[in-house]
Amino acid sequence: MTPSPAIVISGLSHRYGDRLALDSISLEISPAEIFVFVGPNGGGKSTLFRILSTLMPFREGKVEVLGYDLRTARDQVRQRIGVVFQMPSLDKKLTVAENLKYQSALYGLHGETARWREAALMEQLGLTDRRGDITENLSGGLRRRVELAKGMLHGPKLLLLDEPSTGLDPAARAAMWQHLNRIREEQGVTIVLTTHLLEEADHADRIGILDQGHLVAVDSPTRLKNQVGGDTVSVRGPNLTAICEKIQQTLQLEPKLLADTVRLEAEDGPNMIKRIVEICPGEIDHITLSKPSLEDVFIAQTGKVFSEEGQG
Protein backbone atom coordinates (compact mmCIF):
# COMPACT_ATOMS: atom_id res chain seq x y z
CA MET A 1 0.00 0.00 0.00
CA THR A 2 1.42 3.36 -1.04
CA PRO A 3 1.78 5.72 1.94
CA SER A 4 -0.20 8.95 1.88
CA PRO A 5 1.69 12.13 0.95
CA ALA A 6 3.14 14.16 3.80
CA ILE A 7 1.93 17.38 2.16
CA VAL A 8 -0.72 17.94 -0.50
CA ILE A 9 -1.11 21.46 -1.90
CA SER A 10 -3.95 22.12 -4.35
CA GLY A 11 -4.52 25.45 -6.09
CA LEU A 12 -2.90 27.49 -3.32
CA SER A 13 -2.97 31.25 -3.93
CA HIS A 14 -2.29 34.15 -1.60
CA ARG A 15 -2.24 37.94 -2.00
CA TYR A 16 -0.83 40.85 -0.05
CA GLY A 17 -3.17 43.58 -1.17
CA ASP A 18 -2.75 43.79 -4.94
CA ARG A 19 0.44 41.69 -4.99
CA LEU A 20 0.00 38.02 -5.82
CA ALA A 21 2.55 36.19 -3.64
CA LEU A 22 1.48 32.64 -4.57
CA ASP A 23 -0.35 31.78 -7.77
CA SER A 24 -2.24 28.46 -7.97
CA ILE A 25 0.48 26.27 -6.42
CA SER A 26 -0.23 22.51 -6.61
CA LEU A 27 2.21 19.92 -5.32
CA GLU A 28 2.59 16.65 -3.37
CA ILE A 29 5.54 15.88 -1.08
CA SER A 30 6.17 12.24 -0.15
CA PRO A 31 6.89 10.84 3.33
CA ALA A 32 10.59 10.84 4.30
CA GLU A 33 11.42 13.07 1.32
CA ILE A 34 13.84 15.97 1.53
CA PHE A 35 12.18 18.70 -0.50
CA VAL A 36 13.65 22.15 -1.07
CA PHE A 37 11.77 25.22 -2.23
CA VAL A 38 14.34 27.40 -3.96
CA GLY A 39 14.01 30.79 -5.54
CA PRO A 40 15.08 34.40 -5.32
CA ASN A 41 13.77 36.58 -2.53
CA GLY A 42 10.34 37.69 -3.64
CA GLY A 43 9.60 34.34 -5.27
CA GLY A 44 7.06 33.24 -2.64
CA LYS A 45 9.16 30.98 -0.40
CA SER A 46 8.56 32.87 2.83
CA THR A 47 4.83 33.10 2.23
CA LEU A 48 4.60 29.38 1.53
CA PHE A 49 6.68 28.58 4.62
CA ARG A 50 4.46 30.70 6.86
CA ILE A 51 1.38 28.93 5.51
CA LEU A 52 2.79 25.41 5.91
CA SER A 53 4.01 26.16 9.44
CA THR A 54 0.47 27.36 10.40
CA LEU A 55 1.62 30.94 11.05
CA MET A 56 -0.59 32.51 8.40
CA PRO A 57 -4.01 31.62 6.98
CA PHE A 58 -4.25 31.41 3.22
CA ARG A 59 -6.87 32.82 0.89
CA GLU A 60 -7.49 30.26 -1.84
CA GLY A 61 -6.92 26.55 -2.37
CA LYS A 62 -6.43 23.58 -0.07
CA VAL A 63 -3.47 22.32 1.95
CA GLU A 64 -3.25 18.98 3.78
CA VAL A 65 -0.35 18.33 6.14
CA LEU A 66 0.13 14.77 7.44
CA GLY A 67 -3.46 14.03 6.47
CA TYR A 68 -4.98 17.05 8.24
CA ASP A 69 -6.72 19.95 6.53
CA LEU A 70 -4.71 23.06 7.36
CA ARG A 71 -7.85 25.23 7.48
CA THR A 72 -9.84 23.12 9.92
CA ALA A 73 -7.23 21.16 11.90
CA ARG A 74 -4.46 23.65 12.56
CA ASP A 75 -3.90 22.49 16.16
CA GLN A 76 -3.49 18.86 15.09
CA VAL A 77 -0.95 19.95 12.47
CA ARG A 78 1.00 21.99 15.02
CA GLN A 79 1.33 18.99 17.31
CA ARG A 80 2.90 16.93 14.52
CA ILE A 81 5.36 19.31 12.87
CA GLY A 82 8.70 20.73 13.90
CA VAL A 83 9.69 24.22 12.77
CA VAL A 84 13.11 25.84 12.59
CA PHE A 85 12.87 29.52 11.75
CA GLN A 86 15.39 31.66 9.93
CA MET A 87 15.71 33.95 12.94
CA PRO A 88 17.29 32.24 15.97
CA SER A 89 14.88 31.18 18.70
CA LEU A 90 17.43 30.15 21.32
CA ASP A 91 17.77 31.85 24.70
CA LYS A 92 21.41 32.83 24.38
CA LYS A 93 21.91 33.16 28.16
CA LEU A 94 20.90 29.53 28.79
CA THR A 95 22.94 26.40 28.23
CA VAL A 96 22.23 23.93 25.46
CA ALA A 97 20.59 21.54 27.94
CA GLU A 98 18.47 24.30 29.46
CA ASN A 99 17.19 25.42 26.06
CA LEU A 100 16.09 21.85 25.31
CA LYS A 101 14.56 21.43 28.76
CA TYR A 102 12.34 24.48 28.33
CA GLN A 103 11.37 23.42 24.82
CA SER A 104 10.32 20.04 26.22
CA ALA A 105 8.12 21.78 28.78
CA LEU A 106 6.43 23.81 26.03
CA TYR A 107 5.36 20.52 24.40
CA GLY A 108 4.23 18.98 27.68
CA LEU A 109 7.19 16.60 27.93
CA HIS A 110 8.38 15.94 31.48
CA GLY A 111 10.31 13.47 33.59
CA GLU A 112 12.13 10.52 32.10
CA THR A 113 10.52 10.93 28.66
CA ALA A 114 11.84 14.48 28.33
CA ARG A 115 15.30 13.59 29.64
CA TRP A 116 15.58 10.62 27.26
CA ARG A 117 14.56 12.66 24.21
CA GLU A 118 16.87 15.53 25.09
CA ALA A 119 19.84 13.19 25.61
CA ALA A 120 19.09 11.22 22.43
CA LEU A 121 18.95 14.33 20.26
CA MET A 122 22.09 15.82 21.77
CA GLU A 123 23.85 12.54 20.99
CA GLN A 124 22.44 12.39 17.46
CA LEU A 125 23.42 15.97 16.67
CA GLY A 126 26.85 15.88 18.31
CA LEU A 127 25.90 18.19 21.18
CA THR A 128 26.43 15.94 24.21
CA ASP A 129 29.80 17.44 25.11
CA ARG A 130 28.31 20.94 24.70
CA ARG A 131 25.25 20.41 26.90
CA GLY A 132 26.60 22.76 29.59
CA ASP A 133 27.79 25.50 27.20
CA ILE A 134 26.02 28.87 27.12
CA THR A 135 24.50 29.06 23.64
CA GLU A 136 25.72 32.59 22.90
CA ASN A 137 29.27 31.21 23.08
CA LEU A 138 28.61 28.57 20.40
CA SER A 139 29.48 28.88 16.72
CA GLY A 140 26.71 29.50 14.21
CA GLY A 141 26.79 25.88 13.11
CA LEU A 142 26.43 24.55 16.66
CA ARG A 143 23.59 26.95 17.41
CA ARG A 144 21.81 25.69 14.29
CA ARG A 145 22.17 22.13 15.62
CA VAL A 146 20.54 23.19 18.88
CA GLU A 147 17.70 24.71 16.83
CA LEU A 148 17.30 21.36 15.03
CA ALA A 149 17.21 19.53 18.35
CA LYS A 150 14.50 21.88 19.63
CA GLY A 151 12.45 21.30 16.50
CA MET A 152 12.71 17.51 16.85
CA LEU A 153 12.08 17.08 20.60
CA HIS A 154 8.40 16.17 20.32
CA GLY A 155 9.03 13.57 17.61
CA PRO A 156 7.48 15.34 14.59
CA LYS A 157 6.97 13.50 11.31
CA LEU A 158 7.51 16.70 9.34
CA LEU A 159 10.35 19.19 9.86
CA LEU A 160 10.05 22.64 8.25
CA LEU A 161 13.14 24.84 8.01
CA ASP A 162 13.25 28.42 6.73
CA GLU A 163 16.63 29.39 5.20
CA PRO A 164 18.44 27.13 7.71
CA SER A 165 21.96 27.83 6.42
CA THR A 166 21.73 31.59 6.88
CA GLY A 167 24.97 32.82 8.43
CA LEU A 168 26.72 29.44 8.21
CA ASP A 169 30.12 28.92 6.63
CA PRO A 170 30.51 26.11 4.03
CA ALA A 171 31.78 23.58 6.60
CA ALA A 172 28.89 24.24 8.99
CA ARG A 173 26.44 24.08 6.08
CA ALA A 174 27.80 20.68 5.03
CA ALA A 175 27.54 19.42 8.61
CA MET A 176 23.94 20.63 8.82
CA TRP A 177 23.05 18.62 5.72
CA GLN A 178 24.68 15.52 7.19
CA HIS A 179 22.45 15.87 10.25
CA LEU A 180 19.34 16.44 8.16
CA ASN A 181 20.02 13.28 6.17
CA ARG A 182 20.58 11.33 9.39
CA ILE A 183 17.28 12.57 10.83
CA ARG A 184 15.47 11.49 7.67
CA GLU A 185 17.17 8.09 7.48
CA GLU A 186 16.94 7.16 11.16
CA GLN A 187 13.51 8.58 11.99
CA GLY A 188 11.71 8.68 8.64
CA VAL A 189 11.05 12.41 8.98
CA THR A 190 9.90 14.41 5.96
CA ILE A 191 12.10 17.50 5.64
CA VAL A 192 10.95 20.61 3.78
CA LEU A 193 13.10 23.69 3.65
CA THR A 194 13.41 26.99 1.82
CA THR A 195 16.62 28.50 0.50
CA HIS A 196 17.82 31.19 -1.87
CA LEU A 197 21.09 29.29 -2.39
CA LEU A 198 20.94 27.27 -5.58
CA GLU A 199 23.93 25.11 -4.66
CA GLU A 200 22.16 24.06 -1.46
CA ALA A 201 19.21 22.70 -3.41
CA ASP A 202 21.50 20.07 -4.96
CA HIS A 203 21.25 18.13 -1.68
CA ALA A 204 17.49 17.58 -2.03
CA ASP A 205 15.58 14.58 -3.32
CA ARG A 206 13.42 17.04 -5.25
CA ILE A 207 13.27 20.78 -5.57
CA GLY A 208 10.50 23.20 -6.43
CA ILE A 209 11.62 26.40 -8.13
CA LEU A 210 9.50 29.41 -7.19
CA ASP A 211 9.54 32.65 -9.15
CA GLN A 212 7.15 35.56 -8.58
CA GLY A 213 4.63 33.27 -6.92
CA HIS A 214 4.72 30.60 -9.61
CA LEU A 215 6.00 27.07 -9.16
CA VAL A 216 7.93 26.93 -12.43
CA ALA A 217 9.59 23.50 -12.08
CA VAL A 218 9.51 20.45 -9.79
CA ASP A 219 11.86 17.47 -10.05
CA SER A 220 15.15 16.08 -8.77
CA PRO A 221 18.16 18.38 -9.27
CA THR A 222 19.75 15.89 -11.67
CA ARG A 223 16.67 15.52 -13.88
CA LEU A 224 16.12 19.27 -13.99
CA LYS A 225 19.70 19.86 -15.11
CA ASN A 226 19.45 17.06 -17.66
CA GLN A 227 16.42 18.81 -19.20
CA VAL A 228 18.67 21.74 -20.06
CA GLY A 229 21.01 19.31 -21.80
CA GLY A 230 24.43 19.60 -23.38
CA ASP A 231 26.97 22.20 -22.27
CA THR A 232 26.53 25.78 -21.19
CA VAL A 233 28.65 28.44 -22.88
CA SER A 234 28.92 31.86 -21.22
CA VAL A 235 30.39 34.86 -23.03
CA ARG A 236 31.37 38.27 -21.72
CA GLY A 237 32.57 41.30 -23.65
CA PRO A 238 32.16 45.06 -24.04
CA ASN A 239 29.30 44.79 -26.57
CA LEU A 240 27.11 41.83 -25.63
CA THR A 241 24.29 42.93 -27.91
CA ALA A 242 26.57 42.68 -30.96
CA ILE A 243 27.87 39.27 -29.83
CA CYS A 244 24.32 38.04 -29.32
CA GLU A 245 23.25 39.22 -32.78
CA LYS A 246 26.23 37.55 -34.48
CA ILE A 247 25.49 34.24 -32.77
CA GLN A 248 21.84 34.48 -33.86
CA GLN A 249 22.59 35.42 -37.47
CA THR A 250 25.67 33.31 -38.16
CA LEU A 251 25.06 30.21 -36.04
CA GLN A 252 21.24 30.26 -36.21
CA LEU A 253 20.98 29.90 -32.44
CA GLU A 254 18.98 31.73 -29.77
CA PRO A 255 21.36 32.83 -27.01
CA LYS A 256 20.07 34.60 -23.89
CA LEU A 257 21.35 38.08 -23.06
CA LEU A 258 21.42 38.18 -19.26
CA ALA A 259 22.87 41.17 -17.39
CA ASP A 260 26.62 40.97 -18.15
CA THR A 261 26.64 37.61 -19.92
CA VAL A 262 25.46 35.94 -23.13
CA ARG A 263 24.50 32.32 -22.48
CA LEU A 264 23.58 29.46 -24.74
CA GLU A 265 23.29 25.68 -24.58
CA ALA A 266 25.23 23.49 -27.00
CA GLU A 267 25.65 19.75 -27.45
CA ASP A 268 29.33 20.19 -28.32
CA GLY A 269 30.56 22.97 -26.05
CA PRO A 270 34.25 23.03 -27.07
CA ASN A 271 33.36 23.29 -30.76
CA MET A 272 30.81 26.00 -30.02
CA ILE A 273 33.42 28.06 -28.19
CA LYS A 274 35.70 27.80 -31.22
CA ARG A 275 32.95 28.96 -33.57
CA ILE A 276 31.94 31.89 -31.36
CA VAL A 277 35.55 33.09 -31.11
CA GLU A 278 35.86 32.87 -34.90
CA ILE A 279 32.78 34.99 -35.59
CA CYS A 280 33.53 37.52 -32.84
CA PRO A 281 37.27 38.23 -33.21
CA GLY A 282 38.56 40.69 -30.62
CA GLU A 283 35.09 41.16 -29.10
CA ILE A 284 35.27 38.63 -26.27
CA ASP A 285 36.80 39.31 -22.88
CA HIS A 286 35.85 36.02 -21.25
CA ILE A 287 34.27 32.76 -22.42
CA THR A 288 33.61 29.68 -20.27
CA LEU A 289 32.23 26.18 -20.65
CA SER A 290 30.32 24.31 -17.97
CA LYS A 291 27.76 21.60 -17.44
CA PRO A 292 24.19 22.80 -16.79
CA SER A 293 23.61 24.03 -13.24
CA LEU A 294 20.47 24.92 -11.34
CA GLU A 295 21.19 28.50 -12.38
CA ASP A 296 20.81 27.34 -15.98
CA VAL A 297 17.58 25.55 -15.05
CA PHE A 298 16.24 28.78 -13.55
CA ILE A 299 17.24 30.74 -16.65
CA ALA A 300 15.64 28.14 -18.92
CA GLN A 301 12.38 28.24 -16.94
CA THR A 302 12.13 32.00 -16.39
CA GLY A 303 14.31 33.63 -19.06
CA LYS A 304 16.24 35.64 -16.47
CA VAL A 305 19.17 35.31 -14.10
CA PHE A 306 18.67 34.17 -10.53
CA SER A 307 18.39 37.23 -8.28
CA GLU A 308 18.16 37.74 -4.56
CA GLU A 309 16.28 41.01 -4.80
CA GLY A 310 12.80 41.61 -3.43
CA GLN A 311 10.92 40.13 -0.53
CA GLY A 312 9.91 36.50 0.01
Side-chain angles (χ1 to χ4, degrees):
M1 182 176 178
T2 303
S4 300
I7 296 175
V8 179
I9 303 172
S10 304
L12 175 62
S13 296
H14 190 81
R15 290 181 178 274
Y16 297 106
D18 294 332
R19 185 171 77 86
L20 187 61
L22 295 173
D23 188 2
S24 299
I25 303 295
S26 294
L27 174 71
E28 291 189 4
I29 298 176
S30 301
E33 182 175 19
I34 296 182
F35 192 98
V36 173
F37 287 106
V38 64
N41 293 331
K45 303 185 310 298
S46 296
T47 298
L48 184 55
F49 181 86
R50 287 194 287 266
I51 289 172
L52 292 177
S53 57
T54 76
L55 295 178
M56 185 174 72
F58 52 95
R59 303 292 179 86
E60 302 174 27
K62 183 177 182 180
V63 180
E64 292 183 0
V65 176
L66 301 173
Y68 292 92
D69 189 317
L70 200 53
R71 285 189 188 276
T72 60
R74 185 172 296 181
D75 289 344
Q76 289 91 329
V77 170
R78 287 176 174 171
Q79 294 169 13
R80 291 163 174 82
I81 64 173
V83 183
V84 177
F85 298 101
Q86 181 178 357
M87 298 300 294
S89 64
L90 302 176
D91 189 321
K92 294 189 292 185
K93 299 300 181 182
L94 297 182
T95 66
V96 170
E98 288 168 341
N99 268 280
L100 298 187
K101 179 180 178 181
Y102 285 111
Q103 183 75 3
S104 292
L106 287 174
Y107 278 97
L109 301 173
H110 302 284
E112 189 61 30
T113 298
R115 287 191 291 272
W116 180 84
R117 290 191 180 181
E118 292 159 18
L121 279 164
M122 282 190 282
E123 175 68 24
Q124 186 179 30
L125 294 170
L127 295 167
T128 300
D129 61 345
R130 301 296 189 122
R131 58 176 294 116
D133 290 6
I134 302 297
T135 54
E136 71 177 349
N137 297 328
L138 300 178
S139 67
L142 285 170
R143 285 198 295 269
R144 184 56 72 184
R145 288 193 225 171
V146 182
E147 297 269 11
L148 287 174
K150 284 181 60 179
M152 292 297 299
L153 270 173
H154 57 298
K157 298 304 294 180
L158 171 63
L159 183 61
L160 301 168
L161 305 101
D162 188 21
E163 302 280 359
S165 62
T166 297
L168 300 186
D169 60 36
R173 191 179 302 154
M176 180 198 73
W177 273 100
Q178 290 177 353
H179 292 303
L180 290 178
N181 276 292
R182 186 176 302 152
I183 288 170
R184 184 265 295 272
E185 291 168 5
E186 295 181 359
Q187 301 183 36
V189 175
T190 305
I191 297 174
V192 178
L193 62 89
T194 67
T195 184
H196 64 275
L197 301 173
L198 285 171
E199 64 272 19
E200 186 160 83
D202 266 319
H203 295 279
D205 297 320
R206 286 192 304 153
I207 65 174
I209 298 178
L210 286 165
D211 180 52
Q212 296 183 338
H214 298 278
L215 187 63
V216 298
V218 178
D219 212 329
S220 71
T222 299
R223 283 193 291 268
L224 285 173
K225 286 183 281 190
N226 286 342
Q227 289 173 17
V228 176
D231 299 320
T232 297
V233 177
S234 301
V235 185
R236 293 183 180 180
N239 192 339
L240 293 178
T241 300
I243 292 173
C244 197
E245 290 175 352
K246 286 186 178 181
I247 293 173
Q248 288 175 321
Q249 295 170 5
T250 307
L251 303 181
Q252 303 299 305
L253 297 172
E254 292 297 330
K256 293 183 174 67
L257 180 54
L258 306 161
D260 61 349
T261 305
V262 172
R263 283 201 192 203
L264 67 154
E265 284 74 50
E267 292 186 7
D268 184 353
N271 184 59
M272 182 58 64
I273 286 179
K274 179 182 177 182
R275 296 184 69 187
I276 292 173
V277 171
E278 288 173 348
I279 66 173
C280 301
E283 299 179 53
I284 296 172
D285 290 340
H286 190 69
I287 186 165
T288 60
L289 174 66
S290 63
K291 291 298 181 182
S293 65
L294 289 177
E295 170 85 8
D296 296 308
V297 173
F298 187 84
I299 291 170
Q301 294 291 338
T302 67
K304 57 189 178 183
V305 294
F306 193 86
S307 169
E308 297 180 13
E309 298 178 356
Q311 300 298 318

